[in-house]
Amino acid sequence: MDRMASSMKQVPNPLPKVLSRRGVGAGLEAAERESFERTQTVSINKAINTQEVAVKEKHARTCILGTHHEKGAQTFWSVVNRLPLSSNAMLCWKFCHVFHKLLRDGHPNVLKDSLRYKNELSDMSRMWGHLSEGYGQLCSIYLKLLRTKMEYHTKNPRFPGNLQMSDRQLDEAGESDVNNFFQLTVEMFDYLECELNLFQTVFNSLDMSRSVSVTTAGQCRLAPLIQVILDCSHLYDYTVKLLFKLHSCLPADTLQGHRDRFMEQFTKLKDLFLRSSNLQYFKRLIQIPQLPENPPNFLRASALSEHISPVVVIPVEASSPDSEPVLEKDDLMDMDASQQNLFDNKFDDIFGSSFSSDPFNFNSQNGVNKDEKDHLIEQLYREISGLRAQLESVKTESQRAMLQLKGRVSELEAELAEQQHLGQQAADDCEFLRAELDELKKQREDTEKAQRSLTEIERKAQANEQRYSKLKEKYSELVQNHADLLRKNAEVTKQVSMARQAQADLEREKKELEDCFERVSDQAQRKTQEQQEVLESLKQELATSRQELQLLHSNLETSAQESMCQLAKDQRKALLVQSRKAVERMVQEALSQLEEPTLISCAGSAEHLLSKVKSVSSCIEQLEKSRSQYLACPEDISDLLHSVMLLGHLTSDTIAHGSSTSLRAPPEPADSLTEACKEYGRETLIYLASLEEEASLENADSTAVRSCLNKIKAIGEELLPRGLDIKQEELGDLVDKEMAATSAAIEAATARIEEMLSKSRAGDTGVKLEVNERILGSCTSLMQAIQVLIVASKDLQREIVESGRGTASPKEFYAKNSRWTEGLISASKAVGWGATIMVDAADLVVQGRGKFEELLVCSHEIAASTAQLVAASKVKADKDSPNLARLQQASRGVNQATAGVVASTISGKSQIEETDSMDFSSMTLTQIKRQEMDSQVRVLELENELQKERQKLGELRKKHYELAGVAEGWEEGTEASPPMLQEAVPEKE
């Protein structure tokens, strides 16, 4: 009995028919999470690998479903952060492809979880941008696109990742505010620009002469373009609709920049869609839409009804071979129950149905011996052990199946939610389209009515436009004729005013002489009356003596005649003295005003001074003739007085013009000219003083005056513009030589820049290489723009010569228009010199021995020189000439390229300066204070030097334009040219 009791204790209790679910729940959740992470890790590693093949769709789909399962991208980023994306371009390229899919089709929280890695993506993009071969540039551009997409969806959270929106949702995104629509359009343009940039770069990296789309390497590069095509189709559609909406609210001129940018992107997108549709790889994966032949006309509101939204069709894919049947959660529970029932039935078959109430059936087995019972007990132990092992395997299998089924259920729930969302969108679109169709029907009826009236209005407008064009041509002719007449009138008025002034001076002097003559005549009459009174008294007193009266009468007549002659002689002498004194006062005033500041603003030239010297020489000769006539006939003094007064006026004008000319001359010739004018004034005063007495009048000598005039003439000839030394027949050849030399200088500069760029790439790395490439690239663009400008200038000059020379040869035309020709020569020399100097400055900057400021100054100097060349070329050009329009367009291109050089130089300078960090951690308080004082002293010194250099620069520019004006004839109708050129440079600065 004791043995039986011990045997009963060793037999376990019967197995329960239902497993306890509370204890298993926590374990299943942990196992499910572990299985999910393991599955995601395997799928991500299989999708992002180093093999140059396209990412498999099933792996990408698993990653997308994983984001919907965990409602985020934490698992994705935890796996990706362990991958060496910065050292393997293939891994980075496939990461960009998978991440693009997640942003489009993954859970909305993928964007939020990925924002923290935006700066890392930017750094990786800049790093890969330094590689120009392989996948380096592709990775850099793709990372920029992903960063732009993240920023766009962050600013516009109403837009889903796949960009699928209805028209009503698009209107709600702008919040019915035209400013929001304007900004949203600009952001879409930037977004689409990044998409097109990746599109174009991928195509440029492929060898299109071979069937690259059927190779694994080609498919690896082309696979991400499917996502790009999907994005581009939506962005193009939304851009068109927004532009029509903006044109209905804003003026067309305000949106000119939007239209130009849309036209550029429309052309690129149409070409890329056409090229993509011809590739065999895309034909079996996606149906690419074709854009219309012509872009939409945004200026016509009815054109919106003609717009057809491009639709990208992706064929329905067959089921994946590794897909598994989907089981619901209730089926899984039923499977557990059925397995439990199967176990219970098998237990009952072995132990009997009554084993639960009487496990060993002692009531019916009392006659069996103990050995048979032990044998039965051992057999039951073995079967129980086998059943336990089978139960464990069944539990493990059921857990695995349950995890798989739960994952599949999550996938189906995500797909169901997406389909429900798409269905709701389709229903909303259908309802909106119905309302829009009714509205379009009404608009069509109104449009047909308006179209008929618009046709009539257009016909009238066309007739009015033709009349307006004719009136405009007539008005232009009248304006040109009016300008010519005004110019001629101004010249004539100036000459008349000068003549009137001279005549007024002569009349004033003549009036003074007449007044003096009248006073002398009155005095003579008074004396005559007194003599007559004395004569009458003598007649009364000496009436008794007729002989004495006759004698006295004869004596009186003789004395009267002598007194009249002496009186006339005194009058002539007084007139000569007064004239001489007046002339001396004029000459002395001119000498006293020689150094006055009032003459600084006067305009003077060497040619005008020489003409005055010639007039003075002629006046001196006339004075010598008048002096000889006066000596021969003293009664005739009018010619002598006229010559003396004219000499005084001309001498004063000559001294004044000499002073103003010296202000525009170099220092040494200016001093010589001033001294010569002073000496000429002194000699003139001495010569006039010799005309006062009759004794000195005969010995008056004008040799010293003539000598001074010869000195002034010699200095004036030295100050003539240098260009006038060139023979007129050599100007035509010199223009062609200078233009050819300028072109050669530009080509040499371009070649040197390319050579410097090659050396920099071979010897520099990192930030220095990036800065050198940016600066040299902008310099190359500037040289190319200058080449285009020179070609346009040559074409315009050829047109000017052909239209203006008539039957003469080009050389004769250049000789006839010598001033204009000299301006072209000077401008061409300046352009070539500026290009050479800029290349030297760029070479020193690249070598690290130059200053960035020198490069900035050289670029500004080139801009000013090209502006001078444009101004010199367009002086004689027709304003409606197409060559002039191309020259102006080329000039704007040079200005833009100059701005690019300035921007790249400033950016490179700041980037280089950022790398030089200042460490003051090891300095003491005294050392820091000493350094601070030294820095303050240095700042004050630099500010003082800066002020002095600015004053020096202003004086140099002023002197430069003065000398250039004298050399190129700006004073003859082109005074406005130097200020125009001077303003061109500050405008770029």
Side-chain angles (χ1 to χ4, degrees), residues 7-22:
S7 298
M8 291 176 61
K9 292 179 181 179
Q10 293 177 0
V11 176
N13 293 326
L15 295 175
K17 292 186 178 181
V18 180
L19 296 175
S20 177
R21 300 185 183 275
R22 179 175 300 176

Side-chain angles (χ1 to χ4, degrees), residues 537-763:
S537 62
L538 289 175
K539 284 182 180 180
Q540 293 177 0
E541 294 176 356
L542 301 176
T544 57
S545 180
R546 190 175 294 273
Q547 292 179 353
E548 293 179 0
L549 181 60
Q550 292 179 351
L551 180 61
L552 290 173
H553 185 67
S554 60
N555 293 331
L556 182 61
E557 289 179 353
T558 303
S559 62
Q561 290 178 356
E562 291 178 356
S563 63
M564 290 296 293
C565 292
Q566 184 64 33
L567 181 61
K569 185 176 180 180
D570 293 339
Q571 290 177 353
R572 290 193 297 269
K573 185 176 180 181
L575 289 175
L576 182 60
V577 171
Q578 291 179 358
S579 300
R580 183 186 61 78
K581 291 181 178 179
V583 171
E584 286 180 352
R585 284 197 300 271
M586 286 189 292
V587 175
Q588 288 176 355
E589 289 178 359
L591 290 175
S592 63
Q593 294 178 357
L594 190 61
E595 299 294 338
E596 290 294 328
T598 56
L599 295 176
I600 293 177
S601 60
C602 297
S605 63
E607 294 179 349
H608 201 176
L609 180 62
L610 292 177
S611 65
K612 290 294 180 182
V613 171
K614 185 176 180 181
S615 300
V616 173
S617 299
S618 301
C619 181
I620 292 175
E621 293 178 358
Q622 183 64 30
L623 179 60
E624 292 292 335
K625 293 180 181 179
S626 299
R627 183 176 64 83
S628 301
Q629 293 177 0
Y630 174 74
L631 293 174
C633 182
E635 290 78 9
D636 187 7
I637 197 174
S638 58
D639 293 339
L640 181 61
L641 293 177
H642 179 269
S643 299
V644 170
M645 295 301 298
L646 182 61
L647 176 62
H649 287 290
L650 292 177
T651 300
S652 177
D653 292 343
T654 302
I655 294 173
H657 282 84
S659 176
S660 61
T661 304
S662 65
L663 296 177
R664 293 179 175 272
E668 295 183 0
D671 296 339
S672 302
L673 182 59
T674 303
E675 293 297 328
C677 290
K678 292 180 180 179
E679 184 179 358
Y680 167 64
R682 290 192 295 269
E683 292 296 335
T684 302
L685 293 176
I686 295 172
Y687 177 67
L688 291 174
S690 65
L691 300 178
E692 182 177 2
E693 301 295 336
E694 293 183 358
S696 61
L697 183 63
E698 297 178 359
N699 299 325
D701 188 9
S702 60
T703 305
V705 178
R706 294 177 186 274
S707 176
C708 294
L709 285 176
N710 290 332
K711 291 181 181 179
I712 296 175
K713 182 178 179 181
I715 297 173
E717 290 177 351
E718 291 179 359
L719 294 177
L720 285 175
R722 300 176 184 175
L724 300 178
D725 298 336
I726 303 175
K727 296 182 180 179
Q728 300 294 327
E729 59 271 9
E730 297 178 359
L731 287 176
D733 297 335
L734 188 58
V735 171
D736 297 335
K737 291 180 181 178
E738 289 299 331
M739 295 301 290
T742 304
S743 301
I746 298 300
E747 293 176 358
T750 305
R752 283 190 61 190
I753 291 175
E754 293 294 335
E755 182 180 355
M756 287 188 287
L757 184 58
S758 301
K759 292 182 179 179
S760 177
R761 287 175 177 172

Side-chain angles (χ1 to χ4, degrees), residues 76-107:
F76 174 77
W77 283 107
S78 64
V79 177
V80 168
N81 286 333
R82 294 194 294 268
L83 297 177
L85 301 180
S86 300
S87 60
N88 193 307
M90 183 58 62
L91 285 176
C92 185
W93 176 252
K94 290 191 173 183
F95 157 73
C96 294
H97 185 188
V98 175
F99 185 44
H100 196 174
K101 280 179 169 288
L102 293 183
L103 289 176
R104 277 187 53 82
D105 303 325
H107 194 273

Side-chain angles (χ1 to χ4, degrees), residues 282-441:
F282 289 125
K283 289 182 179 179
R284 64 182 180 85
L285 295 177
I286 188 172
Q287 183 178 347
I288 302 175
Q290 296 300 322
L291 298 184
E293 185 66 23
N294 297 318
N297 186 7
F298 300 108
L299 302 179
R300 184 166 57 90
S302 59
L304 178 60
S305 60
E306 302 173 2
H307 170 65
I308 300 175
S309 300
V311 179
V312 180
V313 180
I314 299 178
V316 180
E317 298 179 355
S319 298
S320 179
D322 56 349
S323 63
E324 297 179 355
V326 180
L327 298 178
E328 299 294 336
K329 186 175 181 180
D330 295 337
D331 297 337
L332 181 62
M333 300 301 297
D334 294 340
M335 184 188 72
D336 294 340
S338 62
Q339 290 178 353
Q340 183 65 33
N341 293 333
L342 178 62
F343 176 79
D344 293 339
N345 292 334
K346 190 171 182 181
F347 190 87
D348 292 339
D349 292 339
I350 296 174
F351 294 99
S353 59
S354 61
F355 184 78
S356 59
S357 60
D358 190 6
F360 294 100
N361 198 9
F362 289 128
N363 295 326
S364 62
Q365 297 289 336
N366 291 329
V368 183
N369 55 21
K370 294 181 181 180
D371 294 334
E372 292 178 354
K373 290 180 180 180
D374 293 339
H375 179 72
L376 180 59
I377 289 171
E378 293 176 359
Q379 183 179 358
L380 291 174
Y381 271 128
R382 287 194 297 272
E383 291 182 358
I384 288 171
S385 301
L387 290 174
R388 283 180 176 175
Q390 188 176 2
L391 178 61
E392 291 295 330
S393 63
V394 169
K395 288 171 62 178
T396 305
E397 185 65 24
S398 64
Q399 290 178 358
R400 187 187 66 81
M402 184 172 60
L403 292 175
Q404 292 179 352
L405 292 175
K406 283 186 177 181
R408 186 59 179 168
V409 166
S410 300
E411 295 177 3
L412 292 176
E413 287 178 353
E415 292 180 359
L416 178 60
E418 184 177 2
Q419 293 299 328
Q420 289 177 351
H421 178 68
L422 294 177
Q424 183 64 31
Q425 285 185 350
D428 295 340
D429 293 342
C430 183
E431 181 182 355
F432 179 75
L433 289 175
R434 286 197 189 96
E436 193 176 16
L437 180 60
D438 295 336
E439 184 180 355
L440 289 175
K441 288 180 180 179

